[in-house]
Every structure is written in C-alpha cells, then in structure tokens.
Amino acid sequence: MTQSSSSLDDLILLNREIAALVKAGIPLELGLKGLAGNVGTRLGGLSERLSKRMAEGTSLPDALALEGPAVSPVYTAVMEAGLSSGRLPDALESMAASGQVMQETRQRIRLAIIYPLFCGVISYGLLAGFLTFFLPHLLRGIEGLGLPYLWPIEGLKFLDQHKTYVTLVIPAVVLAVVVVTALLRKNVTRGLWRWMTSFRWVPGVTSIRQSQNWAQFTELLAMQLEHAAPLPRAFRLAADSVDHTGWHQESRMVCDKLELGIPLPLALESSRLLPPLARWMISTAERQGTLIPTLRQLSEMYRRRALLQAARLKTWLPVMITIGVTGVIGLAYGLLCFIPMRALLIGLMQE
C-alpha cells in the first residue's frame, strides 16, 4: 500500500469494509455504493468509483488498477490473489493487520520526532542569537585586550564573518525545500515526499516492512495452493503482493522456470532476495509434500517477527532520538562556551 490520494487509513478501512461485505454475501458494487455515503470524502469517492466500474462489469482488481498511482499495484495484487483463492476476506484482513502495524509504527515515529525536532529548532535559534549578539562582543573584547588569536578564536571569527549563512540562508533554504516538497508532493516531488512520510529512512522500519512482505507472500501462496491453483500463477500473484521491485523481477524468472516444468526447489536456487531460511524451508517442504503447512508456519513466523520488531522500535526509538539529539545539543553548547573561554584565559595568562 502507498499513500497518495488515498491514505493508508483509507485503504485499511476499505479493506475491512470489503471483507465484511464479502462475508455478508452482499454484492460488492451495491455495498461499496452504500459505503460511499457513510465515510469521508476521499474514501467515499474511491468507493463510488469502484462501485460504478464494477456495475459496468469490471472486476474488482481491474477497477482498482484504473485508479492509477492512487492505489498501489501491490494492493491490487493482494485483491487478485484473494479472489483467486476464494478467500478474499482473509487476504484483506491480513493486509489490513499489516497496514495497522505500519500505521501505528509511523505514528509513534512522528511522536518521537516532534520533541527532538522542537529542541533542534530552539537550539538553532539560540545558536543564531549567540552568533548575532554575543560573539561580536567577545571578539571585540579579545581584540581590545590585544590577545593572540588562538585556533578556537580563529574558528569563531570565521563563524562571525559568515554568520549570515547560518542565521538567514540555511533556514530559508530548509524552509523553502519543506514547503515546495509539501506543495508539490503529488507531482514533481512525489517520490521524495513518499520516502519522507514512509519513514523508511528510519533504522528498523525497512526490516519491519520486509518481514510483513514475506508473511504476506507465504500466506497468499498457501491460500491459493489450498484451492488447487496452478503453482506458477499462485507464485506470481503472491510475489506481486511484495512491495519490492527487485523481487518482482526475480519472481518472474522463477515463474518462467515453473511454467517450463522445473521443480520449485530448483527454480528457487537462483533466488537471492527470498530469505535463505524461507528458501530452504519451501524447497524441503516441496520435496516432502508439506508445502502448504510450511508456508503457514513461515507466514506466522514472519508476522510475529514484524510485531516484535515494531514493538522494539516503538519502545527504543523515542529514547534513542531524544538522548542523541539533546546530547549533541548539550555537547555543542558546552564546547561553544567552554573553548572560547579557555582560549581567553590562556591569552590572559600569556600577557
């Protein structure tokens, strides 16, 4: 799933609504039409468009694909795999659970960043005040006393000469980048905005997402094989549910081998992105005739791993960010005051 015109919250809610409609036996085109009038503007518009297309004879995956970048191809792949296995509600509930974990993790990261970000802004303001109001008087005092310019004072003199960049240019550039990125997030800077708001740059988030991807892949593959789906088609649909471009390319090669009649263990030998443990367990289970139960075990294992990783991240990230940012700020201000005073005292003692 991606955040574009439809937010992650919207797609999680849509997942659960579609699952409920399928379980209740209500035709999706009618249920989505009724949903459109009872939810927010964005989700309501999406539901109404899907209902209209399905009433015209378009399948649900194709109706979603017509949304373009607003709905991820991964999300459409999960829909198609769920329909193919006859267990669409289970597939959607699984993806909704994964989306909920990522949403809660992102919210915790946002909260963890707010305090250090506030401290950083205040500290930068104090630095600008130090360079503007205090440093010029300090340098004039040293010059008036005729003290030698030791290297710390030379460094401060350099900052004083270029303080316009620190106090005006750098903040203006940062503010302009943030504003432009936010305003153009659906056009020119869509990729940058998506990367920033996905928090994949935060250590640990990518690992959580990868664990969820493999849990989803193995679960969807097991669902389809339980309903006697052909292995190449089942593998392709399950692989498309993984949010990883490199894996999509690699899985196509595996599917090509499967369609040629090559056994699954041999087809997976060239795979480098599938985790070694998963590759070994799938290959062994295929030989022993226990592929479906093994896929179920792998799915549960990766699901538990994602939850554990998310719990650790949500516990330790706020602490580490706060300690890191406030520690750096405290050290910087301590050195900023201590080093010039030490140089001043050394200069006075040499007189």
Side-chain angles (χ1 to χ4, degrees):
M1 280 188 244
T2 60
Q3 286 180 303
S4 187
S5 58
S6 297
S7 69
L8 184 57
D9 284 332
D10 289 340
L11 293 179
I12 291 172
L13 179 57
L14 180 63
N15 270 358
R16 289 179 171 153
E17 291 292 343
I18 292 177
L21 292 173
V22 174
K23 289 179 180 178
I26 300 173
L28 286 179
E29 58 269 23
L30 297 179
L32 290 172
K33 186 175 182 180
L35 175 66
N38 298 316
V39 293
T41 304
R42 287 186 301 184
L43 182 56
L46 175 60
S47 301
E48 188 172 357
R49 292 192 299 273
L50 293 177
S51 173
K52 183 178 179 180
R53 291 167 187 159
M54 294 180 69
E56 294 172 352
T58 306
S59 67
L60 179 56
D62 290 341
L64 282 165
L66 291 173
E67 288 292 312
V71 177
S72 169
V74 171
Y75 184 67
T76 306
V78 173
M79 285 282 191
E80 189 173 354
L83 290 169
S84 175
S85 66
R87 297 177 60 180
L88 179 60
D90 293 338
L92 293 179
E93 286 292 347
S94 173
M95 196 168 195
S98 298
Q100 191 66 44
V101 171
M102 288 306 302
Q103 187 72 334
E104 291 174 358
T105 302
R106 291 175 186 176
Q107 289 173 353
R108 185 63 65 90
I109 292 173
R110 291 188 189 103
L111 292 175
I113 289 175
I114 288 176
Y115 175 70
L117 183 62
F118 180 76
C119 290
V121 171
I122 296 298
S123 300
Y124 198 89
L126 292 174
L127 174 62
F130 172 83
L131 296 179
T132 304
F133 301 107
F134 180 75
L135 184 57
H137 296 293
L138 176 63
L139 293 176
R140 281 198 295 269
I142 293 174
E143 185 178 354
L145 293 172
L147 299 178
Y149 279 98
L150 302 179
W151 70 264
I153 305 301
E154 289 290 349
L156 291 177
K157 188 175 181 181
F158 177 82
L159 283 177
D160 182 62
Q161 293 171 348
H162 299 85
K163 63 184 176 184
T164 303
Y165 293 97
V166 178
T167 58
L168 295 176
V169 176
I170 294 178
V173 170
V174 171
L175 180 62
V177 169
V178 171
V179 171
V180 170
T181 302
L183 292 177
L184 301 180
R185 63 182 181 273
K186 295 181 181 179
N187 299 294
V188 180
T189 60
R190 178 187 295 162
L192 176 59
W193 181 261
R194 186 176 298 167
W195 177 77
M196 290 172 57
T197 55
S198 69
F199 295 109
R200 294 188 181 186
W201 47 272
V202 176
V205 172
T206 299
S207 298
I208 296 172
R209 188 59 187 161
Q210 287 176 348
S211 296
Q212 291 182 328
N213 277 334
W214 298 125
Q216 190 165 271
F217 165 72
T218 50
E219 183 174 1
L220 291 178
L221 184 56
M223 280 184 187
Q224 294 176 88
L225 294 179
E226 280 180 339
H227 287 75
L231 181 57
R233 172 177 168 78
F235 194 95
R236 179 182 62 80
L237 291 177
D240 287 345
S241 71
V242 175
D243 188 13
H244 193 297
T245 304
W247 167 246
H248 291 168
Q249 298 172 352
E250 189 174 278
S251 65
R252 292 291 186 273
M253 297 172 61
V254 175
C255 290
D256 291 341
K257 293 179 181 179
L258 293 175
E259 289 174 351
L260 293 174
I262 298 176
L264 181 60
L266 294 178
L268 289 177
E269 284 183 353
S270 61
S271 174
R272 294 294 176 263
L273 295 177
L274 186 66
L277 176 61
R279 187 170 63 249
W280 176 78
M281 290 183 66
I282 290 173
S283 299
T284 304
E286 171 70 9
R287 296 189 186 99
Q288 297 177 348
T290 58
L291 181 56
I292 294 175
T294 299
L295 289 171
R296 292 286 185 196
Q297 292 175 0
L298 282 170
S299 177
E300 184 63 25
M301 181 191 74
Y302 283 116
R303 192 81 64 191
R304 288 198 303 266
R305 181 182 296 181
L307 291 173
L308 180 61
Q309 290 169 333
R312 288 175 177 172
L313 182 67
K314 289 185 283 188
T315 300
W316 290 105
L317 184 65
V319 177
M320 298 306 296
I321 290 179
T322 301
I323 291 176
V325 173
T326 55
V328 169
I329 291 172
L331 178 63
Y333 273 97
L335 294 176
L336 201 61
C337 295
F338 172 75
I339 291 178
M341 295 305 299
R342 178 177 177 275
L344 180 61
L345 291 175
I346 291 175
L348 289 173
M349 288 188 295
Q350 291 176 351
E351 286 296 310

